Amino acid sequence: MSKSRWVVLSAVIIVIIAGLASRKVAFIPLWVGDTLWALMVYLMVRFLFIERSIGKVALISLAFSFAIEFSQLYQAEWINRVRNTVPGHLILGRGFLWGDLLAYIPGVLLGLFIDALVFKKQHVSK
């Protein structure tokens, strides 16, 4: 695994810990966790597509985050059973909220900003 991927993987782990911690501290607004969730998505997409441009990674990340949120409008019994598990709730959420969509945008933008600072260049577009 390349050095760049290790950096991104380390960032993913830090963001996951921060996101989980944000849900345990009462005075931290819920949108902070949603923003960190979108940042985690950005970093995971970056990990998978390390050579793609940061713009493409951002678009994929935002599309994925929005798709997960809109999927919460689907309330079939089988998917709700999945959502009622800890991993299902953390990954898929439970209920659609327009505010979550708004929280994902700064999360992805933060990912772009961090990515640009860490790697200091646009990755080759493929």
Side-chain angles (χ1 to χ4, degrees):
M1 190 159 53
S2 71
K3 182 179 177 183
S4 296
R5 277 206 166 96
W6 279 111
V7 170
V8 174
L9 182 60
S10 299
V12 167
I13 293 167
I14 291 167
V15 171
I16 288 171
I17 292 167
L20 291 171
S22 77
R23 297 296 189 190
K24 300 292 182 190
V25 180
F27 66 85
I28 296 177
L30 290 177
W31 62 263
V32 172
D34 297 321
T35 299
L36 289 170
W37 186 86
L39 174 58
M40 178 205 63
V41 169
Y42 178 92
L43 292 168
M44 291 174 104
V45 173
R46 165 52 74 217
F47 180 84
L48 293 173
F49 302 109
I50 199 79
E51 296 298 324
R52 300 285 179 157
S53 71
I54 62 175
K56 284 184 182 177
V57 170
L59 287 174
I60 293 167
S61 303
L62 203 55
F64 178 83
S65 297
F66 276 38
I68 291 292
E69 190 66 28
F70 280 110
S71 78
Q72 293 170 22
L73 294 170
Y74 179 67
Q75 293 292 316
E77 185 179 329
W78 73 270
I79 192 80
N80 286 336
R81 280 196 305 268
V82 173
R83 289 182 181 125
N84 285 330
T85 66
V86 173
H89 175 69
L90 292 173
I91 296 166
L92 301 174
R94 287 210 176 113
F96 176 83
L97 293 171
W98 287 104
D100 288 353
L101 296 173
L102 294 176
Y104 299 154
I105 296 168
V108 171
L109 290 175
L110 183 58
L112 272 168
F113 179 72
I114 292 168
D115 202 346
L117 282 178
V118 170
F119 295 107
K120 293 187 170 98
K121 65 176 181 147
Q122 288 279 333
H123 293 277
V124 177
S125 180
K126 289 186 177 180

